[in-house]
Amino acid sequence: MTTNGVSIPPERVRAAREVAAVLVPSRRVALTTHVNADGDGVGSEVALWHLLTRRGLEAVIANPTPIPERFHFLLPNGADRSERAVREIAAADVVLVLDISDLSRLGDLARTIKDSHAVACIDHHVSRGSLPAGPRLVAPEAAATAELVFDLASALEWPLPPEAARALYVGLLTDTGAFRFANTSPRALRVAGALLERGVDPESIYESVYASAPEGRIRLMAEVLETLVVEPEIGLAWVTVPPDALQRHGATADDLDGIVEYPRSIAGVRLALLFRQIANGRVKVSFRSLGAVDVAELAHRFGGGGHSKAAGASLEGSIAEAQEKVLAAAREYLGQNPSSTPTRTVRLGP
Ligand code: AMP
Ligand code: MN
Ligand code: MN
């Protein structure tokens, strides 16, 4: 089936219809996503909020953590009820979980969602999927959950209002690192093209998402980059967020987004890491790779997951303890996978 100039695989059309079967007019739907929502989670929620509200459903966004300031420009008035998320989830007829298939990254909402009788999911993670049973539109080969929300609307022939198109574009833009990462598929660009045809203004979105930084974000970045350590022989590099840095710069976790791209951008680096202290005495590790290094596998060893080139995990203990364990695993991985380690011969000139 082809709609909006993009063809949709038959299994996605089937899955979209299964998800839509529970999205019946007048039902109350709570839209949610993983902790520390990113552009894909928020963009997918906002797009669905517009789509469902227009179809006569009562939709609310109920996230486990506040929506980062960076994405507030997308939010319709009154749509975000995350400050009373547990109650919204409990009162909903249907919970629609976006950009995650696991309970473990739903924070304080996990228990209420586990007990919900109707849980649908749209996601692109490689995951075992610990959500309660329910209709699923899950495709790890999709660049972003936003691509799948686009497919849902297309498959069901639901018209896409401009506000929804804009939100989906933000999801695609942010999850592909502004159309640079390995998930920038021809199809992702076709979907982005279809969204531009719906009137999305890419420059104003660039400005809102990437060029409206508070000063603290840049000062925080400078401080984190100071901690850079590189092991060029094996192509490993990492940075560490000093324990009180977010607080000192009035920053939130969202302000760290993209910093791990700097260690990854060093010539010869194939595996980059970012370490930071999070709540409950845990340490969050972000893994990024280039080439053949599979970071989903590495993150999985520490109870995390994600994609082959971008993954994460949270470990118990201090930053020093997390670094000891994760760096040992990283060194061993890079040593045992020599094809994934770089050759350091760089010739300049003729
Ligand atoms: P991040 O490093 O937080 O930007 O996350 C990179 C990717 O890894 C995203 O696709 C996340 O969904 C996934 N991810 C991050 N943290 C975790 C975690 N604790 N457990 C499982 N997957 C994670
Ligand atoms: Mn995400
Ligand atoms: Mn995503």
Side-chain angles (χ1 to χ4, degrees):
M1 151 171 209
T2 300
T3 332
N4 297 314
V6 183
S7 79
I8 310 161
E11 66 277 10
R12 286 196 200 172
V13 176
R14 267 195 302 277
R17 289 190 180 135
E18 282 169 25
V19 170
V22 298
L23 301 173
V24 179
S26 92
R27 281 204 182 158
R28 204 178 158 84
V29 179
L31 303 161
T32 194
T33 186
H34 56 76
V35 290
N36 300 325
D38 51 23
D40 190 27
V42 179
S44 298
E45 291 177 322
V46 168
L48 278 159
W49 187 92
H50 287 292
L51 289 165
L52 298 179
T53 302
R54 272 169 182 70
R55 295 190 63 75
L57 286 93
E58 212 184 307
V60 294
I61 293 173
N63 289 352
T65 53
I67 293 182
E69 186 82 33
R70 191 199 293 255
F71 303 119
H72 283 187
F73 75 102
L74 290 176
L75 285 177
N77 269 342
D80 179 26
R81 307 252 184 92
S82 297
E83 75 290 345
R84 37 170 289 148
V86 172
R87 272 176 291 168
E88 292 293 348
I89 299 275
D93 300 314
V94 183
V95 182
L96 181 43
V97 180
L98 298 157
D99 199 35
I100 186 71
S101 302
D102 284 315
L103 283 169
S104 62
R105 294 188 65 227
L106 286 161
D108 293 344
L109 305 183
R111 197 177 316 154
T112 320
I113 291 175
K114 192 163 177 257
D115 294 340
S116 301
H117 52 277
V119 179
C121 174
I122 305 178
D123 184 33
H124 69 130
H125 287 89
V126 186
S127 146
R128 303 168 298 291
S130 54
L131 287 175
R136 301 258 179 284
L137 171 52
V138 174
E141 68 279 12
T145 299
E147 180 181 334
L148 299 171
V149 175
F150 175 89
D151 290 340
L152 176 99
S154 302
L156 302 166
E157 297 179 36
W158 291 357
L160 203 58
E163 300 89 336
R166 185 174 73 147
L168 293 180
Y169 185 85
V170 168
L172 268 174
L173 179 77
T174 53
D175 257 30
T176 56
F179 305 115
R180 290 173 302 172
F181 299 158
N183 58 348
T184 309
S185 61
R187 189 175 198 276
L189 291 173
R190 278 196 287 274
V191 172
L195 296 172
L196 294 182
E197 274 161 3
R198 304 283 311 148
V200 170
D201 174 358
E203 190 182 21
S204 89
I205 290 186
Y206 167 76
E207 190 177 335
S208 301
V209 175
Y210 295 117
S212 302
E215 183 180 331
R217 186 186 299 162
I218 309 304
R219 297 205 178 279
L220 170 70
M221 189 190 301
E223 211 177 297
V224 174
L225 292 180
E226 275 287 314
T227 70
L228 175 69
V229 182
V230 188
E231 295 186 356
E233 307 72 30
I234 55 169
L236 175 64
W238 69 94
V239 291
T240 310
V241 182
D244 58 344
L246 289 185
Q247 213 181 356
R248 272 188 290 105
H249 294 293
T252 64
D254 171 65
D255 292 306
L256 295 166
D257 200 56
I259 295 187
V260 69
E261 296 310 322
Y262 288 91
R264 174 156 75 168
S265 71
I266 298 167
V269 166
R270 289 294 172 268
L271 173 57
L273 305 165
L274 177 142
F275 294 87
R276 75 178 173 98
Q277 193 81 56
I278 52 172
N280 312 328
R282 300 183 75 86
V283 173
K284 165 79 194 271
V285 187
S286 289
F287 298 74
R288 296 292 187 275
S289 66
L290 268 181
V293 175
D294 180 357
V295 284
E297 192 218 296
L298 264 177
H300 190 69
R301 295 191 205 173
F302 299 100
H307 313 276
S308 65
K309 295 187 178 170
S314 95
L315 286 75
E316 224 168 273
S318 66
I319 288 200
E321 286 163 340
Q323 287 185 329
E324 196 183 311
K325 288 181 206 148
V326 174
L327 293 174
R331 289 177 186 124
E332 187 218 53
Y333 182 102
L334 293 169
Q336 285 183 356
N337 292 271
S339 64
S340 66
T341 55
T343 48
R344 295 294 302 168
T345 333
V346 178
R347 281 217 189 89
L348 295 173

